[in-house]
Amino acid sequence: MQRIFSGIQPSGIPTLGNYLGALRNWAALQDGHECIYCVVDLHAITAFQDPKELALQTREMAATLLAIGIDPTKHIVFLQSGVRAHAQLAWIFNCVARLGWLNRMTQFKDKAGKDRENASSGLYVYPNLMAADILAYHATRVPVGDDQRQHLELANDIAQKFNHDYGVDFFPNIEPLIMGPAARVMSLRDGTKKMSKSDPSDQSRINLNDDADTIALKVRRAKTDPEPLPSGIDGLANRPEARNLVGIYAALTDATHEDVLREHGGKGFGDYKKVLADLLVEKLTPIAAETKRLLADPPYVDAVLRDGARRAAAIADPIVAKAEDLVGFLRV
Ligand code: AQP
């Protein structure tokens, strides 16, 4: 059975983008795979997080993973900071990855923005830690949104260079699983920008804990252009906001952009947004309700995470110990 690994940062409340690009696929992949899903709090602090908020967001993220249907008795759900192997292997990878490789990472450029000198060094080496997250488990398949494609290519470069430098065939090749018509959900305020949980504007995203009225309001206010929806996919060219709203509907109904346009092409955005908001409310509010129910019982969520960390460490520790042996660390 192939081993899957993926992670999500507790850097805010998970968004519709996280759900359609990643989390929903995490749930679907449980059948037929061994899944290891991690709340990556070490990654989250690459941008400053208020400590109290971080703790709350971390538990809420874990509760959301359970609420979307991840079964912690069959698979593993845990916190990254609870398994030391991640940081240990990341240090080795800091010494394997080349500066030139990291300099090409577009996510660092996007997140550091113009004030690059002031970005944390953790943000710069973030992809090395991500490679360690996956390779500490010898995982071979990684379900992610499209924004993570470049990081996974880098993880494969790191694995290959490690294997080459130490003359071994130790770390496997990783295959990204980038699925569905909403692998990159865009901001509701700007169709050229990715929807992000840490975007300063709450109106730019749908949070998985938004209530029905909030969802409807955000969709109603979403930026659009004055033209009605086209009846064919060619009509979405140069219309990023229209494409985004069609992609969201397609993903939620397991359809294609073409299917959605066949059904709704010709509609003005006023009408289309009503249908889209109803669909979002139908699909998302049960997740919010289940997350809330789980959060009313923190000891249960924490016990799931403790058990997950124990089982995760049992897989990762021997793999990282072997990597340390290969590097030549002396065991005394
Ligand atoms: N807009 C998106 N569309 C599709 N997939 C997305 N993902 C994130 N945003 C979108 C996918 O969600 C998973 C978890 O992401 P993450 O928390 O590890 O980091 P991120 O990609 O940086 O996500 P955010 O929401 O933008 O977080 P912040 O604002 O903290 O940086 C990943 O698989 C990602 O591809």
Side-chain angles (χ1 to χ4, degrees), residues 75-314:
H75 302 278
I76 297 180
V77 179
F78 73 107
L79 307 183
Q80 188 184 27
S81 60
V83 176
R84 300 292 166 188
H86 292 249
Q88 288 166 332
L89 187 58
W91 180 256
I92 294 176
F93 286 174
N94 284 342
C95 303
V96 173
R98 305 290 90 184
L99 285 183
W101 300 356
L102 292 173
N103 284 339
R104 286 195 282 276
M105 294 299 108
T106 56
Q107 180 165 299
F108 176 77
K109 290 178 195 157
D110 292 346
K111 288 198 171 175
K114 292 202 175 68
D115 198 7
R116 209 182 138 114
E117 296 290 307
N118 201 30
S120 74
S121 43
L123 186 66
Y124 190 66
V125 294
Y126 180 116
N128 299 344
L129 176 59
M130 181 166 160
D133 296 337
I134 302 159
L135 291 166
Y137 298 89
H138 277 184
T140 50
R141 313 190 87 195
V142 183
V144 283
D146 186 55
D147 60 315
Q148 296 298 327
R149 189 188 292 275
Q150 195 186 31
H151 286 165
L152 291 181
E153 284 164 7
L154 184 91
N156 276 329
D157 289 342
I158 290 173
Q160 275 168 26
K161 182 161 167 55
F162 182 99
N163 288 347
H164 175 267
D165 288 354
Y166 295 103
V168 289
D169 184 17
F170 184 61
F171 286 118
N173 193 59
I174 301 165
E175 185 196 339
L177 296 175
I178 298 170
M179 297 148 78
R184 190 182 286 255
V185 178
M186 308 312 277
S187 157
L188 299 180
R189 310 302 303 162
D190 176 353
T192 62
K193 220 173 116 194
K194 185 182 84 129
M195 182 181 285
S196 262
K197 60 179 117 58
S198 63
D199 191 300
S201 163
D202 189 56
Q203 296 297 314
S204 70
R205 60 177 172 264
I206 309 247
N207 303 311
L208 291 191
N209 69 356
D210 281 342
D211 62 23
D213 290 345
T214 309
I215 293 173
L217 189 67
K218 285 180 176 175
V219 174
R220 204 159 58 240
R221 287 192 180 153
K223 184 177 170 199
T224 43
D225 55 47
E227 301 298 319
L229 276 182
S231 44
I233 187 128
D234 292 347
L236 291 176
N238 302 320
R239 296 180 67 186
E241 285 82 17
R243 170 176 284 277
N244 190 36
L245 296 186
V246 171
I248 292 170
Y249 193 100
L252 289 169
T253 52
D254 291 318
T256 62
H257 286 75
E258 288 86 348
D259 295 333
V260 177
L261 292 176
R262 246 192 311 279
E263 195 181 340
H264 297 289
K267 275 196 181 124
F269 276 104
D271 289 343
Y272 178 69
K273 282 176 167 180
K274 278 196 199 99
V275 188
L276 178 62
D278 287 348
L279 182 65
L280 281 162
V281 167
E282 179 197 324
K283 300 283 182 185
L284 300 187
T285 51
I287 299 173
E290 179 60 5
T291 304
K292 200 167 165 196
R293 190 188 71 76
L294 288 160
L295 283 174
D297 187 0
Y300 168 73
V301 177
D302 294 359
V304 166
L305 295 171
R306 253 195 317 277
D307 178 58
R310 187 185 51 76
R311 287 156 58 215

